[in-house]
Amino acid sequence: MDGAEQNPVAQVQTIRFEGLSNGNADERAHLYRACCDDGFFYLDMQGTAEDIDAAVQDIYTLETQLFAMPQEELIQYDIDKLSPKKLNGYKPLGRNHGELAGRKDGFESYALPKDGIMGLGVLARFQRPAIIDLYMSSLRSFTSAVTTAAKAILSSLSGSLELGLDDGFCETHGSHLPSLDLVRLLRYHAQPPWEQGASHLPHTDLGSMAFLFTKQDGLQILGAKSAEWEWMPPKKGHAIVNIGDCLSLLTNKMFRSCRHRVKAAPGQAMKERYSFAYFMRPDENALMQAVSSRLVPKVDRQDQVFTSGEWLQKKYAMLRKDTWKDDENWLLTILGVFLANADTSLVVATYPSIASEFRNLGDGPWLLTVYTLGISVALPAYGATSDTFGRKKPLLVAYCLFCVGCIISSFFAQIPIVLGCFITALWQSLPEAKSRREKRTLDVLGLMALAMTMISFLLLVDIVGKGANLRSRLFVALAVAFALSVVTFVLVETYWAQSPVISPTLIGQKKLGSYFVVQTLLLIAQFSSKLINA
């Protein structure tokens, strides 16, 4: 497929509904492994009771006609005004946060409630454009076939986890009205070749399962082993099924809720793309806590337990562009960057004077070396601390320590800036500490190996610069220490550390590599200009 040379094709399981519904042991085992390992799989729909192929074709026709309607007519069914639970209505282009120009998404959608399609409960007479009624029979056939397949999957997974009838997944999905399930029709708008952002932001689905149908490429999933984006091309007669957040929460994340996105191939234009999906959710009052099974990992969880309805409302609020909080800490970011650069500039500007005071100007550059070494070791430790205790507490402590250091060093000019940063951080809302299961452990061994690597390398550079004999014992000892430190650091980060200082998966990522190159060049330019002037 186009773009496959830049991104590999995902190698996921194909599950046969017919084998699953007949209780085939191999099919059930493949399904279980797919949910644990990938979170995505193809489902061969052959064998469902309904004629799903004809229904699928009719729904393709429905969505092309529906999205061809004038915008002023569709917006009368605005989903944010029509349905507080986001089960019914139209979402216009650009309403969600995204990667395209203006930080918008690149798709419009229309949601149809399962209860409304099947004529159940209070949604039996849900508001909708008249054109949907022309295809209501096909929508019912499609919904019936997919819910049958979904029940077979849930029943199989319940059996794999040794759950009984009363505590299995089927008991919390579709056993009570009203249902939170829905069908969503999607139209992705064409984009020019230079617009390379994702039309649908990388995300996980908020429900239990999604059954996607499309004829066109564009879906990418984040590979569990490769940690790279992989293409998930459509297969005729198959649904693309993925595990969502709710089913992952019900298994303490043993079942993988995989991030995915819709994006054009690199260097190519995003073409107009139609798809539709059935989203299955737990019953509204179902608690999002792990099922009781000896096979599900136990977690000492202190997080608040939400109902399914509460979880969906919180997740939906995060999607809307007008509720996205990514920019609300811009002032704190600017002040922090300014303070960090002011500190670096102060060290660069004053180290000759400090060295001169001690009558040792030749060793003045070591002040810069020690400063850089301290930053390199302290930043990873600070990151792990922030993951453990949240962003705010470590940041406030850091500002306090910085202020104390300024007072001790008599650098009083920076104190007003530090106080401004402290007050701003105190006022801002920052991410809280992660749950115990998600907290990082401090990679002490990796930090020690990194420090030894940098120290031995810098000492080598120093003695070589002073014309030392390359056969001297000191040079050989430092060279051996440097080599051993590098090997130790690589082995620790690759095979030992649970939360590496520098994850091996980051190596080779173009964006990250470019960032390091730019930062290195800036530091070289900043330091070398001072050395030349000195």
Side-chain angles (χ1 to χ4, degrees):
M1 63 177 294
D2 293 338
E5 64 276 7
Q6 288 87 2
N7 294 98
V9 175
Q11 303 299 314
V12 300
Q13 300 272 4
T14 296
I15 308 299
R16 295 184 307 109
F17 167 77
E18 195 167 25
L20 203 62
S21 60
N22 291 333
N24 184 282
D26 290 338
E27 214 70 53
R28 292 178 60 175
H30 291 157
L31 172 65
Y32 181 75
R33 291 277 22 118
C35 294
C36 292
D37 296 342
D38 302 310
F40 264 85
F41 57 90
Y42 292 104
L43 180 66
D44 185 348
M45 299 295 292
Q46 184 177 354
T48 54
E50 303 286 344
D51 184 7
I52 192 170
D53 289 336
V56 166
Q57 295 305 317
D58 285 345
I59 297 174
Y60 280 131
T61 304
L62 164 62
E63 59 181 353
T64 55
Q65 295 180 2
L66 178 69
F67 291 122
M69 292 175 56
Q71 181 74 196
E72 55 270 19
E73 292 185 28
L74 285 173
I75 204 64
Q76 294 178 16
Y77 303 94
D78 189 330
I79 191 170
D80 287 347
K81 298 178 180 178
L82 198 62
S83 176
K85 297 178 183 177
K86 307 295 187 287
L87 297 177
N88 176 35
Y90 173 70
K91 183 207 80 73
L93 175 72
R95 177 170 288 180
N96 286 357
H97 181 81
E99 292 185 347
L100 303 183
R103 305 190 72 181
K104 299 178 180 179
D105 65 70
F107 70 95
E108 56 184 325
S109 66
Y110 201 102
L112 301 168
K114 172 200 170 184
D115 286 353
I117 292 173
M118 303 306 290
L120 303 173
V122 296
L123 288 175
R125 297 182 179 180
F126 69 102
Q127 298 182 48
R128 57 191 182 268
I131 191 172
I132 292 175
D133 290 326
L134 300 178
Y135 296 89
M136 191 60 74
S137 176
S138 295
L139 286 167
R140 285 173 181 158
S141 296
F142 169 78
T143 301
S144 177
V146 173
T147 52
T148 299
K151 289 291 185 182
I153 292 172
L154 293 176
S155 177
S156 175
L157 293 175
S158 297
S160 297
L161 292 178
E162 301 177 358
L163 300 176
L165 294 176
D166 294 334
D167 55 1
F169 295 126
C170 291
E171 179 64 22
T172 55
H173 291 75
S175 57
H176 306 285
L177 287 175
S179 172
L180 297 178
D181 294 5
L182 73 148
V183 174
R184 179 171 290 128
L185 314 178
L186 297 134
R187 177 198 178 195
Y188 293 87
H189 286 234
Q191 303 292 338
W194 58 83
E195 180 58 86
Q196 287 295 297
S199 292
H200 204 153
L201 197 70
H203 65 285
T204 56
D205 286 336
L206 45 76
S208 293
M209 286 188 293
F211 295 74
L212 176 69
F213 294 81
T214 183
K215 300 176 182 178
Q216 298 165 275
D217 296 325
L219 176 64
Q220 290 182 324
I221 69 173
L222 193 62
K225 297 180 180 178
S226 67
E228 294 180 355
W229 289 108
E230 301 172 350
W231 294 107
M232 190 81 176
K235 290 176 67 173
K236 186 176 181 181
H238 293 68
I240 299 175
V241 183
N242 67 278
I243 300 301
D245 294 341
C246 288
L247 206 54
S248 181
L249 290 171
L250 290 172
T251 57
N252 274 339
K253 300 188 178 180
M254 187 174 73
F255 290 166
R256 183 172 183 244
S257 182
C258 176
R259 294 182 71 199
H260 52 284
R261 66 182 183 182
V262 174
K263 195 177 190 298
Q268 299 185 19
M270 179 70 187
K271 300 177 182 178
E272 185 179 51
R273 179 180 185 272
Y274 288 92
S275 64
F276 58 93
Y278 182 93
F279 293 93
M280 172 170 257
R281 283 86 176 269
D283 298 332
E284 186 171 7
N285 294 321
L287 294 178
M288 294 295 95
Q289 60 186 7
V291 294
S292 179
S293 169
R294 67 178 183 86
L295 301 176
V296 173
K298 304 299 180 183
V299 175
D300 184 12
R301 188 178 298 279
Q302 294 181 342
D303 301 343
Q304 179 182 355
V305 177
F306 299 106
T307 64
S308 171
E310 292 169 340
W311 169 255
L312 297 178
Q313 289 293 333
K314 288 179 178 292
K315 190 80 181 272
Y316 265 124
M318 295 173 62
L319 297 176
R320 291 294 186 253
K321 187 174 184 294
D322 57 0
T323 61
W324 191 267
K325 298 181 178 180
D326 191 46
D327 285 336
E328 73 173 11
N329 297 321
W330 63 271
L331 179 60
L332 184 60
T333 302
I334 291 175
L335 287 174
V337 171
F338 176 78
L339 182 63
N341 280 279
D343 185 52
T344 302
S345 299
L346 185 64
V347 173
V348 173
T350 60
Y351 87 86
S353 300
I354 296 173
S356 178
E357 288 288 333
F358 287 93
R359 301 175 183 268
N360 196 6
L361 193 60
D363 289 333
W366 272 102
L367 291 173
L368 300 180
T369 300
V370 173
Y371 174 77
T372 306
L373 177 63
I375 290 178
S376 302
V377 176
L379 281 179
Y382 178 83
T385 303
S386 296
D387 284 342
T388 302
F389 299 102
R391 300 293 186 264
K392 179 173 286 189
K393 292 178 182 178
L395 184 60
L396 294 176
V397 171
Y399 283 144
C400 289
L401 292 175
F402 191 92
C403 190
V404 171
C406 290
I407 294 173
I408 295 174
S409 306
S410 300
F411 291 144
F412 299 112
Q414 288 187 306
I415 292 179
I417 303 175
V418 180
L419 291 177
C421 291
F422 184 90
I423 294 172
T424 305
L426 197 62
W427 168 66
Q428 292 283 354
S429 174
L430 298 174
E432 298 296 331
K434 294 183 178 181
S435 65
R436 291 189 178 184
R437 186 168 185 253
E438 297 174 311
K439 288 177 181 177
R440 291 178 58 191
T441 56
L442 186 60
D443 182 15
V444 177
L445 190 57
L447 287 172
M448 293 174 60
L450 176 62
M452 289 301 300
T453 300
M454 297 184 66
I455 291 172
S456 56
F457 175 74
L458 292 171
L459 287 172
L460 276 173
V461 172
D462 181 63
I463 65 171
V464 170
K466 292 180 178 180
N469 185 355
L470 300 186
R471 295 183 179 179
S472 65
R473 292 182 178 179
L474 178 60
F475 178 84
V476 173
L478 288 174
V480 171
F482 173 69
L484 290 176
S485 299
V486 170
V487 172
T488 302
F489 180 71
V490 172
L491 291 176
V492 168
E493 301 306 281
T494 305
Y495 301 107
W496 185 271
Q498 294 181 352
S499 301
V501 176
I502 302 176
S503 174
T505 59
L506 297 178
I507 305 300
Q509 290 191 12
K510 294 181 179 179
K511 291 184 178 179
L512 192 63
S514 301
Y515 171 79
F516 281 127
V517 169
V518 171
Q519 289 297 312
T520 302
L521 292 175
L522 285 173
L523 286 172
I524 292 173
Q526 189 177 32
F527 290 161
S528 61
S529 63
K530 184 62 184 177
L531 290 171
I532 292 173
N533 293 333

